[in-house]
Amino acid sequence: MPGSHLPLLEEGMARWPFGPPNAGIALDLTGAPPALDELRALVEERWKALPRLTQTLVAPGARPGLAWWTGRHRWARADGHELGRQVDGVDGTLRDAVRQWFHTPFPAGRPPWGLHLLRGSAQGEFSLLFRMHHSLLDGRSLTTLLRALLDDGRPLDGAASLSAPGPRRRTARAAPAAGGPPGVLTTGRAVPLPHQGAPEPAYALVGLRTDLLRAAREAAPGRTATTNEVFLAAVSGVLRSRLPDRDAGPAARPVWLSVPVDERPDDCGEFLGNAFANVRVPAPVTLADPAARLTACSGLLTTVTRARSTSERLVEGTLAVLPGATMALAGGKIFAPAYAPAACSYVHLREQGQTLAGRPLRSLNIVPMVPPAGTATFALGGCTQGHTLSVATNSGSQDATLLAEAFLTELASLAEGGRERAADDAGRG
């Protein structure tokens, strides 16, 4: 709510030490771009009743004063702010925008988000990028907002946007592998990244062939894997290829993947804000067979809805009292490559017939925050037209591209296994 202090998760992102905590989603569309006035009118119509989009972020104090360590960020009201003022057009592509905006803080005194009309990568195409401070919204919020702008969308309900998940949350079931979920400060193995080029943030974006993804889902014995399982298995293969002791035995420390899980129960689906938890699951990096890695990723993110325990609420409340000190004490551990060398996020729009003012949607692309140094973020964006992979790194200017290429290699290996399995099944039939 406006005027309230940020919860611990959002406070942590507001204090992100690796660069401005900016993230976004871009929709690639076919056709001539709409006029800015048309787009602004659409935003005012579909998002007009959403208090979250008119808030500004107020910092607790300037470094290194006492207020920074003991204070908390808060949201302030910006009543009467016209949402259309947050919409603009830019003579640049998505990659241009990432190089410029995702390393530039939002100006103080304005809501920390923007909707930008960008040039497409080819003639007859354009992109619509929603850029935000991650303390404001999460990935589910972004898809809710962008879905409302599409031709079959509708104005979002202000009351529903404020219905935050209460004691009941949807959480990931404990992973059976590696002895269950890790402790809050338990570390595993770091994975060395390429460290090619200048040590700076980098971003890469590649399209995934639909036929490869479809074939890869058939690589698991006796069943069809989910797209998310293929995603985790391919990332695990990339990490395995970077390990010097890739065939280490079961006694080796696990490699953890950090995965955001949406905590919204079904009756809070339109809540706008941050309602996710980062869970860590074991990457099956000791398995040489791609199909075996895919099988090991089965059910890692099965979710259940349950009430938050008293101890969970107590721990979160205690840590939120001194957020600056909490970040200083825990940051060296939770941001280390051994804690989670890779993060994996999957965001998708499943509806058929997606158009914006008659322009068909081609793809959905994710731009993650700048990750902790020495780690990588893999983000899968999906719609009915296909999937794209984004990779963000903070270790070398060429690293994101190299890891994206390695992911394509792993996906091709899974697809080959899926085709061989399908051929064997057909031969037995």
Side-chain angles (χ1 to χ4, degrees), residues 140-165:
R140 173 71 179 271
S141 299
L142 261 66
T143 56
T144 297
L145 289 169
L146 294 172
R147 186 181 290 111
L149 293 183
L150 298 178
D151 290 342
D152 58 353
R154 56 180 176 77
L156 294 174
D157 180 74
S161 75
L162 295 173
S163 59

Side-chain angles (χ1 to χ4, degrees), residues 2 58 60 74 92 95 102 135 137 192 198 224 234 250 261 289 300 341 353 369:
V58 180
R74 63 182 176 85
R95 287 180 173 83
F102 285 88
S135 292
L137 301 165
T224 299
V261 174
D289 179 25
L300 284 182
M369 290 196 302

Side-chain angles (χ1 to χ4, degrees), residues 168-186:
R168 294 177 68 252
R169 303 285 182 88
R170 194 169 72 226
T171 59
R173 184 176 294 158
V184 174
L185 297 180
T186 301

Side-chain angles (χ1 to χ4, degrees), residues 172 175 178 181-182 186-191 228-240 243 253-261 277-285 293 296-297 300-301 334 336-345 375-378 407:
T186 301
T187 57
R189 273 195 290 172
V191 176
N228 211 5
E229 290 168 350
V230 169
F231 177 40
L232 295 179
V235 171
S236 297
V238 173
L239 298 182
R240 172 184 164 81
L243 287 171
R253 299 177 73 186
V255 171
W256 298 108
L257 299 176
S258 177
V259 185
V261 174
N278 283 315
V279 301
R280 287 189 295 159
V281 298
V285 295
R293 291 197 294 272
C297 290
L300 284 182
L301 295 178
I334 63 176
Y339 191 80
C344 298
S345 181
T375 73
T377 297
F378 295 81
F407 183 95

Side-chain angles (χ1 to χ4, degrees), residues 15-275:
R15 295 170 179 268
W16 194 247
F18 306 102
N22 301 340
I25 289 181
L27 303 181
D28 288 342
L29 300 111
T30 301
L36 278 179
D37 286 346
E38 180 183 2
L39 189 55
R40 288 173 178 140
L42 185 61
V43 165
E44 292 283 0
E45 174 199 349
R46 303 288 175 87
W47 297 351
K48 62 184 177 183
L50 306 177
R52 189 79 175 181
L53 297 185
T54 62
Q55 296 179 153
T56 61
L57 188 61
V58 180
R63 296 176 187 257
L66 180 63
W68 177 260
W69 297 100
T70 61
R72 293 167 64 181
H73 290 72
R74 63 182 176 85
W75 295 113
R77 302 187 68 97
D79 293 332
H81 183 82
E82 296 180 3
L83 298 184
R85 293 171 56 193
Q86 305 292 115
V87 181
D88 62 18
V90 178
D91 185 21
T93 64
L94 176 60
R95 287 180 173 83
D96 298 329
V98 172
R99 281 193 295 268
Q100 177 182 355
W101 293 330
F102 285 88
H103 309 296
T104 305
F106 283 95
R110 288 175 60 90
W113 65 273
L115 189 66
H116 311 289
L117 194 60
L118 307 174
R119 282 192 287 110
S121 57
Q123 190 70 25
E125 299 173 354
F126 68 96
S127 296
L128 192 63
L129 168 66
F130 190 108
R131 181 176 68 114
M132 64 174 186
H133 188 297
H134 210 328
S135 292
L136 183 73
L137 301 165
D138 59 12
R140 173 71 179 271
S141 299
L142 261 66
T143 56
T144 297
L145 289 169
L146 294 172
R147 186 181 290 111
L149 293 183
L150 298 178
D151 290 342
D152 58 353
R154 56 180 176 77
L156 294 174
D157 180 74
S161 75
L162 295 173
S163 59
R168 294 177 68 252
R169 303 285 182 88
R170 194 169 72 226
T171 59
R173 184 176 294 158
V184 174
L185 297 180
T186 301
T187 57
R189 273 195 290 172
V191 176
L193 298 186
H195 292 281
Q196 295 295 309
E200 62 187 20
Y203 174 74
L205 177 67
V206 295
L208 304 185
R209 283 173 45 187
T210 301
D211 61 321
L212 289 183
L213 191 56
R214 185 184 302 115
R217 294 183 60 194
E218 302 301 326
R223 68 184 188 91
T224 299
T226 67
T227 299
N228 211 5
E229 290 168 350
V230 169
F231 177 40
L232 295 179
V235 171
S236 297
V238 173
L239 298 182
R240 172 184 164 81
S241 72
R242 302 296 314 163
L243 287 171
D245 57 343
R246 61 187 65 178
D247 294 315
R253 299 177 73 186
V255 171
W256 298 108
L257 299 176
S258 177
V259 185
V261 174
D262 180 25
E263 291 193 309
R264 293 166 176 80
D266 292 340
D267 57 351
C268 295
E270 291 191 1
F271 168 71
L272 298 181
N274 283 281

